[in-house]
Amino acid sequence: MRKKIIAANWKMYKTPAEAREFMEKFVPLVAGHERDEIVICPPYVDIAAVVDGAKGTNIKVGAQDVYWEKEGAYTGQISPAMVVGAGCEFVIIGHSERRQYFGETDDTVNRRLEVALEAGLRPILCVGEVLEEREANITEDVLRRQCSRAFRGIGSNKAAKLSIAYEPVWAIGTGKTATPKIAADAHSIIREEAAHAFGGEFAQKLRILYGGSVKPENASELMAQEEIDGALVGGASLKPDSFAKIVKW
Ligand code: 13P
């Protein structure tokens, strides 16, 4: 059995004061919850507040992205060492919103993934097809391409800390959720690609999360699927009681 990871992606929501307030309410709601790993990925400026609020709990913290250079004249960028130093254990890499709005490509995803792993972070690599790709029946090609390019040049010894999130873009923030069958099919394609790149044993242990309109109402049905090893939650992770219900699916 793979321990599930229930991760919040706060995207561009919450000030540090709002992050602190969330933690005050959320921490008691999930106290003693050991069945799943709980992760919160806030905006960079909220990391300190979330790390502080998570002290003495089993809640882990992640960043939403990192740049691939160690340091230098790169105004506005954040390095893997910086987020590690700020108390992050996780980092999201290649989220579809970064691909859609900020020029992220399979190649830059690969560079970020490599440095994140080197820094000892636990990356959550995001892959997923857009609606036109699903309708054109090329979902499988898209997932295989996104995975194989992201994995390029990364040795199986380095990949141990990797997790993947399958986030069909048509399900993000739309209220449409992939059926358990759609998610399970995508997850097995991703697992095959991981086996191809890093070996069967690695692939069996790899956690593949589902993301896209996960809510308290649908979390248990999705999480009950053997192929689904957790959730990456956007909108429904912003309220303490709603995210706590998903954690306790
Ligand atoms: P929603 O849960 O708001 O659909 O967002 C999913 C997502 O993009 C998580 O990374």
Side-chain angles (χ1 to χ4, degrees):
M1 271 301 282
R2 296 177 289 258
K3 188 167 184 170
K4 296 193 199 283
I5 299 173
I6 312 294
N9 174 9
W10 282 357
K11 308 192 179 185
M12 199 179 77
Y13 288 97
K14 296 191 191 296
T15 62
E18 288 164 346
R20 221 166 278 124
E21 195 187 329
F22 175 98
M23 293 306 284
E24 276 162 22
K25 293 191 180 136
F26 179 68
V27 165
L29 297 178
V30 297
H33 186 90
E34 299 285 347
R35 182 193 55 188
D36 314 86
E37 286 195 83
I38 307 170
V39 183
I40 297 178
C41 302
Y44 294 124
V45 296
D46 300 336
I47 289 172
V50 175
V51 167
D52 213 36
K55 256 184 210 139
T57 75
N58 54 5
I59 301 166
K60 292 158 184 164
V61 186
Q64 294 178 13
D65 197 15
V66 279
Y67 192 49
W68 55 77
E69 294 292 347
K70 284 199 169 70
E71 61 182 3
Y74 303 106
T75 302
Q77 297 300 308
I78 301 282
S79 75
M82 288 172 186
V83 301
V84 170
C88 290
E89 184 175 332
F90 283 80
V91 63
I92 298 171
I93 302 280
H95 192 277
S96 63
E97 285 148 19
R98 302 232 42 100
R99 296 180 193 251
Q100 245 181 319
Y101 308 129
F102 303 104
E104 187 86 273
T105 65
D106 290 329
D107 178 50
T108 57
V109 167
N110 172 250
R111 295 175 81 172
R112 292 183 211 276
L113 188 61
E114 191 167 9
V115 297
L117 287 166
E118 254 161 38
L121 284 161
R122 296 174 61 184
I124 302 175
L125 166 69
C126 299
V127 296
E129 79 286 3
V130 300
L131 184 62
E132 294 73 38
E133 292 164 337
R134 171 151 294 272
E135 286 175 346
N137 281 321
I138 56 168
T139 297
E140 178 167 348
D141 298 347
V142 171
L143 295 177
R144 290 195 191 281
R145 188 204 74 222
Q146 288 177 337
C147 288
S148 61
R149 296 220 185 141
F151 299 161
R152 201 177 275 171
I154 293 172
S156 36
N157 54 331
K158 281 213 182 127
K161 292 191 167 178
L162 175 67
S163 297
I164 298 182
Y166 169 58
E167 298 210 316
V169 179
W170 48 269
I172 295 177
T174 57
K176 282 185 204 156
T177 317
T179 60
K181 162 98 173 81
I182 288 179
D185 287 351
H187 286 210
S188 30
I189 293 164
I190 294 166
R191 204 174 295 287
E192 265 178 41
E193 283 301 314
H196 184 66
F198 306 121
E201 199 182 324
F202 170 90
Q204 277 319 305
K205 291 190 195 143
L206 174 69
R207 259 86 60 86
I208 305 177
L209 286 56
Y210 167 77
S213 298
V214 177
K215 305 180 269 261
E217 299 76 44
N218 59 24
S220 47
E221 192 194 2
L222 288 160
M223 293 309 114
Q225 307 298 313
E226 207 186 314
E227 258 300 324
I228 300 182
D229 306 312
L232 185 54
V233 189
S237 74
L238 294 171
K239 294 222 170 81
D241 56 336
S242 153
F243 188 49
K245 278 184 192 144
I246 294 173
V247 165
K248 296 178 170 173
W249 56 273

